[in-house]
Amino acid sequence: MKLLEGKVSLVTGATRGLGKGIAIGLGEAGAIVYITGRRLDSNSTSSNDVSGSLNDTKRAVEEAGGICIPVQVDHSNDEQVRLLFERIQNEQNGQLDLLVNNAYSGVQALTNAQGKPFWENAPNLWDACNNVGLRSHYIASVYAAQMMSKRQQGLICTISSWGGMAYLFGAAYGTGKAGCDRLAADMAVELQPYNITSLSIWPGIVGTELFSRLASEMSDNHTNDGKISALAERYNWETPLLTGRVIAKLASQTNVINRTGRVQVVAELAKQYRLVDQEGNLPVSLRSLRFLIPLVLPALRKHSWLIPDIKIPWSILLLSVLKSPKT
């Protein structure tokens, strides 16, 4: 079903990984999908190159039945971002129904920083994690809200993670993700009178190209860490397309404003909406017993289907296996 036919969407940072999967999911639903990234074409013939390109994503979106418009944008450059929204304004007569804040440039820096406390890394690790990330999400949301408020409708989804609630990849990463959650919540307060919804979206463990490499490197450095080895084993991984299908479904809901300001977990929405990824799988929620127990008891991973799929309240999750190693 073309749930989003006639709708105009923008996915930032969509040359690969999660952004590419989201763009494909919106294309499946019939949306016009603008995508941004720094590379229009891939100029590498190496099988190890995971950088991707806008035109790679464009082809994938079109194969899924969507209309895709690639725009080269460096989201650390505010003027390029302003011109992006000016272009959408002119080409779509002021219509923008959905913004997905996904652009993120910190993965390689986080990979390089693994195994060292924050003070042993260069201070610019903060900028690598949060400039094209938290800051660029705010800038894109400003321009999107200017368009959406005039039409009294719209949805802004900011991609975040459970790293904003519990220690995951370090102080700079976690603070940025907590900021994304708060950004989505506070924007919701100001946007609600204009019938614009703002959500923080939490995928689970997404098997993107770069994350696969990061997980392998982390596993090499933490051979006795059960949680790290679970990453390398691809335990309960999601595919990027699942997040795209969930966001497409959210964007099609007439009552999505009822969710505004809150964190939305991809696996929980997928279960509610009866959605699966491209492999036909439905991963369990990251706050489910079925997800958490095998992280601490690795022997149970092969038998995780025996564990009841019971959601854990957020307050208890804070004290669970996702807690900081210092607590």
Side-chain angles (χ1 to χ4, degrees):
M1 294 178 63
K2 300 295 184 179
L3 298 173
L4 300 182
E5 190 166 4
K7 301 293 185 180
V8 179
S9 63
L10 166 62
V11 183
T12 68
T15 57
R16 62 173 179 260
L18 190 58
K20 183 176 181 179
I22 293 169
I24 294 170
L26 299 178
E28 278 185 343
I32 298 170
V33 188
Y34 283 81
I35 57 172
T36 67
R38 288 180 291 184
R39 295 181 67 174
L40 188 62
D41 290 294
S42 176
N43 53 14
S44 174
T45 58
S46 171
S47 60
N48 294 323
D49 182 25
V50 297
S51 55
S53 73
L54 289 169
N55 279 331
D56 289 341
T57 300
K58 180 177 186 290
R59 284 187 287 271
V61 172
E62 290 175 343
E63 288 173 3
I67 299 170
C68 188
I69 303 170
V71 186
Q72 275 186 290
V73 174
D74 179 348
H75 279 272
S76 67
N77 186 315
D78 292 354
E79 179 61 11
Q80 289 186 26
V81 177
R82 185 190 69 80
L83 291 173
L84 163 69
F85 283 90
E86 184 177 276
R87 174 176 173 176
I88 299 173
Q89 170 78 31
N90 293 334
E91 292 180 354
Q92 302 299 330
N93 296 316
Q95 179 181 351
L96 179 64
D97 301 286
L98 169 64
L99 166 65
V100 182
N101 284 317
N102 173 73
Y104 188 69
S105 65
V107 175
Q108 188 57 55
L110 289 170
T111 302
N112 297 338
Q114 278 303 306
K116 295 186 290 185
F118 72 90
W119 63 89
E120 292 184 6
N121 288 294
N124 63 7
L125 175 62
W126 175 272
D127 297 315
C129 289
N130 297 317
N131 187 16
V132 178
L134 176 58
R135 184 184 185 279
S136 64
H137 297 342
Y138 177 82
I139 300 301
S141 298
V142 167
Y143 291 114
Q146 289 174 359
M147 295 178 64
M148 292 175 176
S149 60
K150 293 176 182 176
R151 301 181 69 243
Q152 298 277 299
Q153 63 180 35
L155 170 61
I156 298 176
C157 292
T158 299
I159 302 299
S160 185
S161 86
W162 42 272
M165 185 176 67
Y167 188 90
L168 189 56
F169 297 129
Y173 175 86
T175 304
K177 294 308 180 184
C180 288
D181 296 337
R182 187 57 186 257
L183 175 65
D186 285 2
M187 288 195 305
V189 174
E190 299 178 17
L191 290 170
Q192 189 163 12
Y194 299 90
N195 194 38
I196 302 169
T197 302
S198 172
L199 303 175
S200 180
I201 304 295
W202 284 15
I205 301 174
V206 184
T208 65
E209 304 92 337
L210 283 175
F211 189 79
S212 296
R213 178 182 293 176
L214 175 62
S216 297
E217 293 179 7
M218 290 173 65
S219 179
D220 292 340
N221 295 330
H222 301 79
T223 54
N224 295 320
D225 189 322
K227 285 181 278 188
I228 298 301
S229 65
L231 297 182
E233 293 169 14
R234 298 176 178 254
Y235 168 71
N236 203 58
W237 278 26
E238 299 174 6
T239 59
L241 180 59
L242 186 66
T243 299
R245 287 175 171 170
V246 163
I247 291 176
K249 187 68 174 180
L250 283 170
S252 72
Q253 301 297 296
T254 57
N255 62 347
V256 69
I257 193 73
N258 294 337
R259 297 181 181 271
T260 197
R262 301 203 301 267
V263 167
Q264 303 294 311
V265 179
V266 166
E268 293 175 11
L269 290 175
K271 182 178 180 180
Q272 177 182 339
Y273 293 136
R274 299 182 181 179
L275 301 173
V276 295
D277 63 23
Q278 71 256 38
E279 297 168 358
N281 297 323
L282 175 58
V284 297
S285 169
L286 55 89
R287 61 183 182 127
S288 165
L289 286 177
R290 192 180 297 176
F291 177 83
L292 292 171
I293 291 178
L295 287 179
V296 270
L297 299 174
L300 285 178
R301 285 180 201 140
K302 294 180 180 179
H303 307 286
S304 61
W305 59 274
L306 292 171
I307 303 169
D309 188 12
I310 300 172
K311 285 193 292 186
I312 299 172
W314 293 116
S315 58
I316 296 176
L317 184 60
L318 279 169
L319 303 175
S320 72
V321 294
L322 299 179
K323 67 182 178 180
S324 166
K326 294 185 179 181
T327 60

